[in-house]
C-alpha cells in the first residue's frame, strides 16, 4: 500500500460518489434524531470532554435539525481542514483508513427507526454525526486519526497488524476517556452516543488505566456489551505524540510474532 499515492482512495471504484439527500429525510427521521439528541445531550455537560462540548457548538448541532453534511463540511474546512465522506455503511479496511488518511471521515446518511432506538447491529448516522463529528474540530485529535490511518495502510495486508491497530482505535476514538481538571471525561464516540455507557464508563465499576500503547495492543475488546476497562489520556497532544510509539511497538510485536 505504501507505493500508492496518498489520494488513491478517491479513484478506487469501490468508493461510490454518494451525497446526503437531505430532502429525503422523513418526519420519523427528524423525530428519531430529536429523541436521541435530547436523551443524550443533557448527560454530556458533566460527562463529555470540553473538546467535544466545544465541537458541538462549532458544528452547530441541535435537536431539531438532522446534521447537514454540506454545512458541516464548510465548518470543518475552516477549522481543521477535514470533511465528511458519505459511504453506504461499513466499508473495507483499506477504504476506511484511506479516507481517514486523506482527512475524510466516512459516514452513513441513514438513521435508525423508532423501534431501533436502543440497539443497532451497525452504526447509523446518529452515531457517526452526533458522536464523532464534533471531535473533528480538535486539531491534535484529527492529526492522530490521520497518522494512525497512515500506519494502518502500511500494514493493510497483515490482518494481525490491523487487529492490533484496531485496538488502539477502539480504546481511543471509540471508547477513550480523558482526564480534565482532575475529572474523568469522555471523548470516545462509542460512549458519547450511549446514555448507558456514558454513566457506566465514568463510574467506579469498570477499571480505568493510564493510556498505554503496549497494554492496549495486548487488550481485546467487547463489541456486544460495555467495556470492562477504559484507558485515560491526559491530553489530545499526548494522543498525537504517541504515534511514533504506536509504530515502534507494532513493529516489535509483529517481529516477535514472526519469530514464534
Amino acid at each position: 500500500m505504501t507505493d500508492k499515492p496518498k489520494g488513491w482512495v478517491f479513484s478506487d471504484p469501490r468508493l461510490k460518489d454518494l451525497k446526503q439527500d437531505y430532502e429525503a429525510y422523513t418526519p420519523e427521521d427528524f423525530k428519531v434524531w430529536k429523541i436521541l439528541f435530547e436523551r443524550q445531550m443533557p448527560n454530556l455537560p458533566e460527562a463529555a470532554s470540553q473538546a467535544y462540548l466545544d465541537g458541538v457548538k462549532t458544528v452547530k448541532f441541535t435537536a431539531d435539525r438532522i446534521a447537514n453534511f454540506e454545512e458541516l463540511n464548510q465548518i470543518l474546512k475552516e477549522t481543521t481542514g477535514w470533511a465528511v465522506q458519505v459511504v453506504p455503511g461499513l466499508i473495507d479496511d483499506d477504504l476506511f483508513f484511506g479516507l481517514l488518511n486523506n482527512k475524510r471521515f466516512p459516514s452513513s446518511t441513514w438513521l435508525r427507526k423508532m423501534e431501533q432506538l436502543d440497539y443497532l447491529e451497525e452504526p447509523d448516522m446518529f452515531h457517526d454525526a452526533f458522536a464523532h463529528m464534533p471531535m473533528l474540530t480538535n486539531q491534535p485529535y484529527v492529526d492522530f486519526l490521520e497518522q494512525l490511518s497512515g500506519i494502518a495502510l502500511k500494514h493493510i495486508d497483515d490482518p494481525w497488524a490491523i487487529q492490533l491497530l484496531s485496538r488502539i482505535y477502539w480504546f481511543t476514538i471509540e471508547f477513550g476517556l480523558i482526564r480534565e481538571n482532575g475529572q474523568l471525561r469522555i471523548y470516545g464516540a462509542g460512549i458519547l452516543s450511549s446514555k448507558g455507557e456514558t454513566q457506566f464508563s465514568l463510574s467506579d465499576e469498570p477499571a480505568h488505566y493510564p493510556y498505554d500503547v503496549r497494554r492496549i495492543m495486548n487488550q481485546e475488546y467487547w463489541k456486544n456489551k460495555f467495556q470492562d476497562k477504559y484507558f485515560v489520556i491526559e491530553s489530545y497532544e499526548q494522543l498525537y505524540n504517541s504515534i511514533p510509539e504506536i509504530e515502534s511497538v507494532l513493529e516489535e510485536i509483529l517481529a516477535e510474532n514472526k519469530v514464534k
Side-chain angles (χ1 to χ4, degrees), residues 6-65:
K6 188 174 174 75
W8 66 269
V9 67
F10 299 116
S11 58
D12 191 294
R14 291 171 297 162
L15 188 69
K16 307 302 181 187
D17 184 21
L18 302 176
K19 304 290 184 188
Q20 180 189 37
D21 184 357
Y22 203 84
E23 300 304 315
Y25 288 120
T26 66
E28 181 183 351
D29 291 329
F30 278 91
K31 187 175 182 181
V32 165
W33 174 277
K34 184 179 178 69
I35 290 172
L36 292 171
F37 191 102
E38 291 183 339
R39 188 165 72 174
Q40 179 62 340
M41 200 63 211
N43 301 309
L44 298 182
E46 299 301 318
S49 166
Q50 192 60 48
Y52 176 83
L53 298 173
D54 291 344
V56 170
K57 294 177 183 175
T58 301
V59 299
K60 301 177 182 176
F61 284 174
T62 66
D64 296 322
R65 286 192 76 223

Side-chain angles (χ1 to χ4, degrees), residues 18-21 25 29 32-33 36 66 69 86-90 107-113 116 119-129:
L18 302 176
K19 304 290 184 188
Q20 180 189 37
D21 184 357
Y25 288 120
D29 291 329
V32 165
W33 174 277
L36 292 171
I66 293 171
F69 290 176
V86 175
V87 294
L90 297 177
S107 174
S108 56
T109 59
W110 61 275
L111 274 162
R112 68 193 76 179
K113 300 301 181 186
Q116 300 172 304
Y119 180 75
L120 281 178
E121 289 281 345
E122 181 181 334
D124 71 339
M125 180 216 173
F126 181 78
H127 169 81
D128 290 342

Side-chain angles (χ1 to χ4, degrees), residues 209-253:
Y209 298 112
Y211 178 65
D212 182 324
V213 168
R214 186 180 298 275
R215 184 166 191 166
I216 292 173
M217 283 195 185
N218 286 293
Q219 180 63 57
E220 295 184 7
Y221 54 81
W222 308 115
K223 279 192 171 182
N224 57 355
K225 59 181 179 180
F226 293 167
Q227 307 305 303
D228 59 356
K229 51 186 68 68
Y230 300 90
F231 292 88
V232 184
I233 61 172
E234 298 298 325
S235 70
Y236 297 107
E237 287 76 14
Q238 179 195 13
L239 198 59
Y240 175 67
N241 290 335
S242 72
I243 286 292
E245 184 184 2
I246 291 171
E247 195 149 28
S248 63
V249 172
L250 176 66
E251 297 288 355
E252 187 181 321
I253 294 176

